[in-house]
Amino acid sequence: MSNEFNGKTAIISGAAGGIGLALAEALGQQGMNIVMGDIDIQALAVSRQALLDKGINVLACELDVTDYKQWQDVVSRAKEAYGKVHMVVNNAGVGGIPGKIEDTEHATWRWVMDVNVMGVLYGAQACVPAIKEHSEGGWVINVASMAGMLGMPYAGAYCASKAAVVSMTESWAVELAPHNIHVSALCPAFVKTRIHESHRNRQEKYAVAPTERQDKKKLQAGANAAALAVESGIPVNVLAERVLEALASKQTYIYTHPNYRKVTSGRSKAIDKAFVDAQESPVVGHLIDEEIVTF
């Protein structure tokens, strides 16, 4: 595999651990300069040193992805240190708290959507202009999830946020292709990370109001179920190796679990069946011959 990463610069959010750190190490070993952003500055310092010890060029920056100004500061520091930005990996994400529709706190929804959706938007808005500046092309990698490809009960906020990331990726892939910027959505199933413990970094601005507080027993039950699922997942280094493999063949959707194809195929069949129903409908069936409107 030819190395098109050597000497280029990647900004990675949520890089202090898990998927972010694994990608930082994998891309760093390909010769990239790594700009690590994370809200957990203590873990960030430890991870930065670990990469430095492996001979990787690293710049570590505190980054709350829900703060656009911090994103802008990270891009500025990356350009000061390495001259150019070629890649952004929008990895930072939170899992929320599993629960029924009527139990899910509004503050939790805002937290999940701000980190998982607005954080990706802010990352792209801050980094894409910097990638366009040098006309060398580059990459935008958005970490979504298989949860973005199919809904799961009791995880509405998380699934909605990851579905949004997939849709944003599809939109940006077409928009940025003329600039030689490749856009991918990474859609893993379960991976051994600490996403089930993401509440440890929950910002104060998303604190739950006393009137919204959930039953602690329900919260613990949901947390235990999430922990078991995550701990059954693949190692992060396997995921990172898969990402490099998929980028080499310019995949828009990067899948890590081929066994989940049967799940998405079932969804596709249901969608196709719904279109057949619409085509046979006396109300809207006549639209079958209408020209499809695109932008």
Side-chain angles (χ1 to χ4, degrees):
M1 179 170 61
S2 62
N3 185 354
E4 56 183 332
F5 305 114
N6 187 46
K8 296 181 179 178
T9 300
I11 296 176
I12 304 174
S13 67
I19 291 173
L21 179 57
L23 288 173
E25 181 174 348
L27 291 166
Q29 289 175 339
Q30 294 293 312
M32 292 196 86
N33 306 308
I34 303 299
V35 181
M36 308 173 73
D38 205 285
I39 197 171
D40 187 340
I41 57 175
Q42 292 182 334
L44 184 62
V46 173
S47 297
R48 170 186 174 274
Q49 189 58 52
L51 294 189
L52 286 173
D53 291 345
K54 294 180 179 181
I56 296 171
N57 294 327
V58 182
L59 172 67
C61 305
E62 182 176 2
L63 174 62
D64 177 346
V65 296
T66 69
D67 186 335
Y68 185 58
K69 177 63 167 58
Q70 289 189 32
W71 267 110
Q72 292 176 308
D73 291 343
V74 169
V75 172
S76 294
R77 290 185 61 188
K79 290 169 67 175
E80 288 172 7
Y82 302 118
K84 300 175 183 178
V85 174
H86 300 85
M87 175 186 291
V88 58
V89 181
N90 285 307
N91 165 70
V94 296
I97 300 173
K100 295 180 180 179
I101 295 169
E102 60 268 31
D103 290 337
T104 307
E105 305 145 342
H106 295 173
T108 295
W109 265 88
R110 287 191 291 271
W111 173 48
V112 172
M113 298 304 286
D114 278 1
V115 174
N116 293 2
V117 180
M118 297 308 295
V120 172
L121 170 64
Y122 290 163
Q125 284 188 323
C127 296
V128 166
I131 299 173
K132 286 181 177 180
E133 279 179 2
H134 49 67
S135 302
E136 297 173 7
W139 302 265
V140 175
I141 303 172
N142 299 322
V143 179
S145 168
M146 282 306 301
M149 294 291 177
L150 54 108
M152 297 186 297
Y154 311 114
Y158 183 73
C159 293
S161 71
K162 293 305 184 178
V165 172
V166 171
S167 187
M168 292 155 72
T169 299
E170 292 168 336
S171 298
W172 297 343
V174 177
E175 178 182 342
L176 296 178
H179 300 277
N180 193 28
I181 299 174
H182 180 73
V183 187
S184 296
L186 172 57
C187 300
F190 293 109
V191 183
K192 292 179 180 177
T193 68
R194 295 182 66 192
I195 192 167
H196 59 294
E197 300 174 2
S198 49
H199 57 82
R200 72 192 187 279
N201 290 323
R202 184 165 175 161
Q203 302 93 318
E204 183 61 32
K205 62 186 176 181
Y206 302 112
V208 178
T211 55
E212 285 192 305
R213 295 224 164 101
Q214 295 180 9
D215 182 275
K216 288 185 177 180
K217 289 184 179 180
K218 290 182 180 178
L219 292 179
Q220 191 58 51
N224 291 343
L228 287 173
V230 169
E231 288 164 6
S232 71
I234 62 172
V236 290
N237 63 304
V238 172
L239 177 142
E241 186 176 352
R242 170 60 185 148
V243 169
L244 292 181
E245 177 184 62
L247 289 179
S249 56
K250 297 191 179 301
Q251 297 298 303
T252 299
Y253 309 97
I254 302 177
Y255 292 121
T256 58
H257 291 69
N259 53 318
Y260 274 74
R261 182 178 182 181
K262 65 185 74 172
V263 179
T264 57
S265 294
R267 184 192 191 195
S268 297
K269 289 176 182 177
I271 291 171
D272 191 62
K273 183 179 179 182
F275 272 115
V276 170
D277 184 74
Q279 183 176 342
E280 295 174 351
S281 164
V283 179
V284 295
H286 65 283
L287 297 176
I288 186 64
D289 295 320
E290 289 284 316
E291 182 179 352
I292 295 174
V293 178
T294 58
F295 292 99

